[in-house]
Amino acid sequence: GFFRDVIDPDRIGMSGHSFGGLTSFLVGCIDPRIKVIVPMTPVTSVVPIMACKLEEFPSPVMMMTGGLDNTLDVENEMRKGFAKLTGERHYFELKAGGHFTYSDICLLDLELVADALDIPTGGALNDGCGEDNVPIPVAHPLIRQFSIGFLNHHLRDSPGSAKWYDAAAAAASSDLLIYETYPGPAPAR
């Protein structure tokens, strides 16, 4: 196949947005090939029902969310879920981020999308794309910086990449970001 010998099966990370964030947790619970995850605005309350207890999650996690998420309950799904993790974990919350701040939907003409889908403008389409949200040209570089630094550190054995997601990196954007980091015990894998 095209990807034969391109993917190192000993260095696999997973990331996803919304349902993909949940999927990152679920697959990370059951597949020992997943070494690290970056779930973005995930549902966490069903992870223990479907896969494993968050307290026993076996890999490092960088959970990303938006403080103004109107699609999911930030307190119950992200903050409380994050608090249950015990391994290495990092919490990245864009204070003025919404649910779709972590996707490319905000780059689309949302009025055109609403018209094409015959749905009202606003609502879910603006959850992260509105005037009260951090602008995408500001949000996306931060999301990439922290997530890629985290993935490189863990999957490419690049200790120098930690500077892209450590406390000093977060302090440089403290006006936009709530960031917590805990080394936790060594992962089980």
Side-chain angles (χ1 to χ4, degrees):
F2 179 77
F3 290 109
R4 182 176 175 84
D5 299 325
V6 173
I7 297 173
D8 182 343
D10 295 325
R11 297 171 187 254
I12 299 175
M14 188 168 180
S15 182
H17 169 252
S18 195
F19 187 76
L22 167 62
T23 303
S24 297
F25 271 112
L26 298 178
V27 175
C29 284
I30 62 172
D31 191 335
R33 296 175 299 173
I34 305 301
K35 304 300 183 202
V36 61
I37 67 167
V38 182
M40 300 174 182
T41 67
V43 171
T44 61
S45 59
V46 298
V47 174
I49 298 165
M50 300 175 75
C52 70
K53 293 179 181 178
L54 290 170
E55 296 90 334
E56 298 171 0
F57 192 78
S59 303
V61 175
M62 178 176 284
M63 185 184 299
M64 296 186 149
T65 191
L68 300 180
D69 191 321
N70 291 316
T71 301
L72 294 175
D73 183 331
V74 176
E75 184 62 34
N76 288 318
E77 293 299 342
M78 275 66 82
R79 294 179 189 141
K80 286 184 180 177
F82 179 79
K84 291 179 181 178
L85 295 168
T86 58
E88 180 187 340
R89 60 216 182 272
H90 310 269
Y91 182 81
F92 176 103
E93 180 181 309
L94 287 169
K95 295 175 187 177
H99 195 74
F100 293 110
T101 299
Y102 291 88
S103 74
D104 290 339
I105 197 170
C106 298
L107 300 174
L108 302 175
D109 180 337
L110 297 179
E111 287 187 28
L112 182 67
V113 171
D115 287 343
L117 298 176
D118 194 28
I119 58 176
T121 55
L125 286 180
N126 280 331
D127 187 0
C129 309
E131 292 177 12
D132 293 335
N133 296 114
V134 59
I136 294 304
V138 174
H140 282 190
L142 276 173
I143 293 165
R144 286 191 299 268
Q145 173 189 328
F146 279 74
S147 61
I148 293 171
F150 179 68
L151 292 167
N152 279 341
H153 181 196
H154 288 284
L155 300 175
R156 292 186 167 182
D157 297 323
S158 173
S161 294
K163 70 180 180 186
W164 297 106
Y165 68 95
D166 64 11
S173 298
S174 63
D175 57 324
L176 301 170
L177 185 60
I178 295 170
Y179 191 69
E180 298 177 26
T181 183
Y182 304 93
R189 295 184 188 165

